[in-house]
Amino acid sequence: SSELHEPVEPPPEWPGQPQPADGGGEAQAAFRVRHRPVDQRRIADGVPVVMVGRDIGTVVTPDAGLKVYLDASAEERARRRWAELTARGEDVDYGAVLADLLRRDAYDAGREVAPLRAADDAVHVPTDGKTVEEIVNEVRTLADAVWAASEAH
């Protein structure tokens, strides 16, 4: 069945998610957290599921039928975060948001356990300048094609 389920968590750079200033990358890199992908694997076992995370396709579900790597430039992600924060009435400097995001990216990419990287077989989807609806439609088209192909076999 191609029934879509709610995502486990929205992408980290979208509104409402912990951001670089929150220390999410450091907390997630804790050894006990990074070495517990079995719980997430159980969620994805045998059912169509959308999972979001920086190591889902490389560590948690390396054999998934479809892996999508959503990507946006640091400037785009900082712009999104800055817009979210200012819309909530917070007085934040775009340059500080960008610097914090770049620090988190460097930390996540360089960590020893489950570093940030796209799976070799992931479909790369650039998101700069796209709306959430456009991105969701693009990913859903990819998923529908994979599910249709798997049901044909």
Side-chain angles (χ1 to χ4, degrees):
S1 161
S2 63
E3 177 183 342
L4 293 179
H5 300 273
E6 289 297 313
V8 173
E9 67 182 65
E13 50 276 289
W14 289 2
Q17 292 308 296
Q19 295 301 314
D22 300 324
E26 291 87 344
Q28 291 178 355
F31 187 80
R32 70 182 189 281
V33 173
R34 285 281 168 221
H35 280 84
R36 298 211 36 169
V38 70
D39 294 335
Q40 291 172 306
R41 284 187 191 127
R42 286 187 191 127
I43 293 170
D45 191 25
V47 296
V49 64
V50 175
M51 298 181 81
V52 177
R54 291 183 168 221
D55 61 0
I56 296 297
T58 55
V59 175
V60 178
T61 59
D63 298 323
L66 174 64
K67 295 176 217 158
V68 177
Y69 187 80
L70 297 176
D71 197 12
S73 66
E75 293 77 14
E76 175 74 5
R77 290 182 292 133
R79 183 197 60 75
R80 291 173 186 168
R81 178 66 175 153
W82 176 85
E84 174 196 353
L85 294 172
T86 56
R88 289 195 311 217
E90 296 184 36
D91 183 20
V92 293
D93 176 68
Y94 169 83
V97 172
L98 177 60
D100 206 31
L101 187 139
L102 291 170
R103 180 195 54 78
R104 179 184 178 194
D105 285 354
Y107 177 84
D108 286 350
R111 66 179 174 231
E112 207 170 302
V113 177
L116 170 62
R117 69 176 182 83
D120 292 338
D121 58 344
V123 177
H124 183 258
V125 176
T127 64
D128 282 32
K130 295 180 183 175
T131 66
V132 171
E133 182 176 286
E134 290 169 328
I135 298 164
V136 168
N137 287 337
E138 189 170 344
V139 172
R140 182 162 191 159
T141 298
L142 292 166
D144 286 346
V146 168
W147 288 330
S150 69
E151 288 179 355
H153 289 99

